[in-house]
Amino acid sequence: MLLESVLIFFNLLAVLSYLKFANSQKQRPFSLRWWFWLTLTGMACSCAVGVKYVGVFTYLLVLAVAGVHAWHLIGDRTLSHVRVLCHLLARAAALLVVPALMYLSFFYVHLTLLCRSGPHDQIMSSAFQASLEGGLARITQGQPLEVAYGSQVTLKNVFGKPVPCWLHSHQSTYPMIYENGRGSSHQQQVTCYPFKDVNNWWIVKDPGRHPLVVSSPPRPVRHGDVVQLVHGMTTRFLNTHDVAAPLSPHSQEVSCYVDYNISMPSQNLWRLDIVNRESDTEVWKTILSEVRLVHVNTSAVLKLSGAHLPDWGFRQLEVVGEKLSRGYHESMVWNVEEHRYGKSQEQKERELELHSPAQMDVSRNLSFMARFLELQWRMLTVKSDDSEHKYSSSPLDWVTLDTSIAYWLHPRTSAQIHLLGNVVIWASAGLATAVYALLFFWYLLRRRRCIRDLPEDCWLRWVLAGALCAGGWAVNYLPFFLMEKTLFLYHYLPALTFQILLLPVVLQHVADHLCRSPLLRSVFGSLVVAWYSCACHVFNTLRPLTYGDKSLSPGELRALRWKDSWDILIRKY
């Protein structure tokens, strides 16, 4: 909520700068003043988007108005072709290039200064985390780049939802019979575990050779190669077969094969598919390669279903085999995060080796653009919490002021701070929008019949005011109906600001063009003074609740519940 006031500042600065630029356009194009306001418009738009992504709505509004003005400019026959081209290039540079460069510079500084690992970097890819100091970079320092036969690896799911997790197995097996009566293979469980653990380690094995160590020189694994994955701590092979998964019955169960001497042979061959490869002979690389593991026998792909297993699965995440025919999804993609070359053939020595650091240094720093693009994507797609909040609300509640937010309550007195709207301002802003829309369509209809109620310059100002103010309200409000996120009253404040800006425009228009007689102007002026007095009275009445500078008795608190009193009055009469 603290960002909303900064966002509103840059939104209004962008609109003000563009209006100043439009005025300069009429007087002295390409003057220093003209360039200043045009450039400031682009900079303010960039800052608005930099504060919050919703700032892009105001940016698009300014671009739309600028586009309309540029279109009229192209049709101006008094300007030469060269002059028109210069105008268009200047606008493109100031409103497109400058904001893009500024936005990039924000994150260049951000990523340069914040170069160390933090508590929430696990939502980023392994490559991004490895580019930060400490954290994963400390763990992965000295890892070999190319995965070879005999490599010991941990496999992280690229999708990272509902939580980042690693391919995992342990001694426990699937229950013989599930709660719904279906049977299982009773093989060793394979899950996705959201914490670092020694049971996350797997060994990449060549199906044609027995050793579980890296040869000298190492034989790298390439796209299309068939491999076996051996669980490091239990030495059992990653396996899947035509048995329904515990929570996803349309998918195959994934397990580590236990030989029970029954008619269920192991099916443990997997074909490596490097999704982000540049050639069909590309080598499997640590952190950088995003891979799918396709089961040779059934063509099922190793996939994170995202469902939490019951208590018998220790509430870990289900891993399944998904048929390739059902399409591609990020939950099918994995990358090697931790990696070392295995040197010990004996199991006890290998278990000790799994805890020891590697010795070979390989640099794999991501470029700035790669980190920038990933960070933007994560900010757009990652959801922190889907649950409803006590003070969450819907966009319809904002217009009717049917909601508020309690921010602070004094532990001993009744002093408190709420986010409240001034009902007079709120209702007047909504009424101004409705009046503007009615008048606009009325004038438009009459102009169609060649009846000019307004001089041309007044009409153009009226249209521009509506485009910026009514349009600003619409673009900052309507998109919230499409957003699947927890919403609060403060999300409406940028839209409300544009509505409030429209209020004096409508009042001025009514006074100048609709109240033609002195009597009407006098009455209208008295109404405006009365309206202003009411707004000040409501502000003064609700001030203790919005500033928390005064303790309130229970009776005073009840007296401020105007909406409840109004609802009771309506029901009574």
Side-chain angles (χ1 to χ4, degrees), residues 1-18:
M1 178 266 177
L2 297 176
L3 293 175
E4 232 66 31
S5 55
V6 186
L7 173 63
I8 290 170
F9 170 77
F10 285 117
N11 281 347
L12 296 185
L13 179 62
V15 172
L16 172 66
S17 301
Y18 186 79

Side-chain angles (χ1 to χ4, degrees), residues 123-187:
I123 67 172
M124 308 304 292
S125 69
S126 300
F128 192 103
Q129 292 181 59
S131 70
L132 302 173
E133 296 176 14
L136 183 63
R138 176 179 53 80
I139 296 171
T140 59
Q141 184 179 10
Q143 289 187 157
L145 177 63
E146 296 184 347
V147 177
Y149 291 106
S151 286
Q152 299 166 354
V153 300
T154 63
L155 291 165
K156 184 182 180 184
N157 189 265
V158 170
F159 190 48
K161 293 179 181 180
V163 290
C165 61
W166 293 261
L167 190 66
H168 176 94
S169 187
H170 40 245
Q171 291 282 358
S172 301
T173 59
Y174 291 108
M176 288 287 289
I177 303 294
Y178 296 128
E179 291 85 346
N180 59 8
R182 289 190 297 109
S184 80
S185 65
H186 200 47
Q187 299 283 323

Side-chain angles (χ1 to χ4, degrees), residues 411-423:
R412 291 184 302 276
T413 70
S414 59
Q416 46 197 287
I417 295 177
H418 289 250
L419 177 64
L420 290 174
N422 186 319
V423 64

Side-chain angles (χ1 to χ4, degrees), residues 152-424:
Q152 299 166 354
V153 300
T154 63
L155 291 165
K156 184 182 180 184
N157 189 265
V158 170
F159 190 48
K161 293 179 181 180
V163 290
C165 61
W166 293 261
L167 190 66
H168 176 94
S169 187
H170 40 245
Q171 291 282 358
S172 301
T173 59
Y174 291 108
M176 288 287 289
I177 303 294
Y178 296 128
E179 291 85 346
N180 59 8
R182 289 190 297 109
S184 80
S185 65
H186 200 47
Q187 299 283 323
Q188 181 174 302
Q189 296 175 18
V190 171
T191 63
C192 207
Y193 189 51
F195 301 99
K196 302 281 187 182
D197 189 86
V198 72
N199 280 314
N200 296 347
W201 284 94
W202 299 82
I203 302 168
V204 182
K205 181 182 177 299
D206 183 349
R209 299 192 181 189
H210 181 68
L212 296 178
V213 294
V214 176
S215 60
S216 182
R219 291 189 304 121
V221 183
R222 299 181 183 275
H223 169 75
D225 286 352
V226 174
V227 301
Q228 292 172 312
L229 290 178
V230 183
H231 188 239
M233 297 303 290
T234 62
T235 67
R236 289 186 173 134
F237 290 78
L238 184 69
N239 183 82
T240 187
H241 35 236
D242 195 14
V243 174
L247 302 181
S248 307
H250 298 292
S251 303
Q252 292 179 190
E253 175 192 273
V254 175
S255 61
C256 278
Y257 184 74
V258 181
D259 189 0
Y260 291 121
N261 293 318
I262 57 175
S263 57
M264 185 182 283
S266 64
Q267 296 180 359
N268 51 35
L269 298 179
W270 300 84
R271 187 177 70 256
L272 185 74
D273 178 21
I274 302 178
V275 177
N276 60 341
R277 65 185 181 277
E278 295 180 358
S279 71
D280 288 341
T281 59
E282 181 154 332
V283 174
W284 189 4
K285 295 184 179 68
T286 307
I287 291 178
L288 303 179
S289 294
E290 297 180 350
V291 305
R292 292 190 303 177
L293 292 165
V294 183
H295 192 238
V296 172
N297 298 77
T298 63
S299 296
V301 183
L302 191 70
K303 176 186 176 182
L304 168 68
S305 77
H308 286 271
L309 294 169
D311 291 339
W312 54 257
F314 309 101
R315 310 300 299 174
Q316 295 174 17
L317 298 173
E318 181 190 42
V319 172
V320 300
E322 185 74 74
K323 293 293 185 181
L324 265 174
S325 58
R326 293 184 181 167
Y328 168 82
H329 192 266
E330 263 193 320
S331 57
M332 298 177 174
V333 183
W334 307 78
N335 71 271
V336 171
E337 188 169 90
E338 297 178 62
H339 175 214
R340 57 176 57 88
Y341 282 164
K343 299 177 181 178
S344 304
Q345 183 63 29
E346 296 297 324
Q347 178 61 15
K348 287 187 178 179
E349 294 178 5
R350 190 184 303 122
E351 289 178 11
L352 293 173
E353 188 178 63
L354 291 175
H355 294 88
S356 62
Q359 301 298 321
M360 184 176 172
D361 287 322
V362 176
S363 173
R364 57 175 69 84
N365 288 330
L366 279 183
S367 66
F368 161 70
M369 282 306 297
R371 289 184 294 159
F372 169 80
L373 293 174
E374 181 179 340
L375 188 56
Q376 304 307 305
W377 178 249
R378 294 294 180 184
M379 288 193 292
L380 276 170
T381 58
V382 169
K383 294 182 180 180
S384 57
D385 190 5
D386 291 329
S387 61
E388 284 294 316
H389 190 277
K390 180 180 179 181
Y391 294 109
S392 64
S393 53
S394 72
L396 288 176
D397 295 330
W398 305 340
V399 176
T400 57
L401 199 54
D402 238 359
T403 182
S404 66
I405 302 175
Y407 282 123
W408 174 79
L409 180 66
H410 196 280
R412 291 184 302 276
T413 70
S414 59
Q416 46 197 287
I417 295 177
H418 289 250
L419 177 64
L420 290 174
N422 186 319
V423 64
V424 175

Side-chain angles (χ1 to χ4, degrees), residues 50-118:
V51 173
K52 272 190 174 184
Y53 269 143
V54 291
V56 77
F57 300 140
T58 301
Y59 181 31
L60 292 176
L61 174 71
V62 172
L63 284 180
V65 174
V68 172
H69 285 171
W71 182 254
H72 288 307
L73 203 67
I74 293 172
D76 189 348
R77 302 292 294 176
T78 63
L79 298 176
S80 67
H81 296 326
V82 174
R83 191 78 167 173
V84 170
L85 181 62
C86 290
H87 273 288
L88 296 179
L89 290 176
R91 284 161 172 77
L95 300 180
L96 296 175
V97 178
V98 169
L101 292 177
M102 273 195 69
Y103 191 74
L104 282 170
S105 69
F106 297 156
F107 283 92
Y108 184 82
V109 174
H110 172 86
L111 293 170
T112 302
L113 295 179
L114 301 183
C115 57
R116 295 177 182 172
S117 176

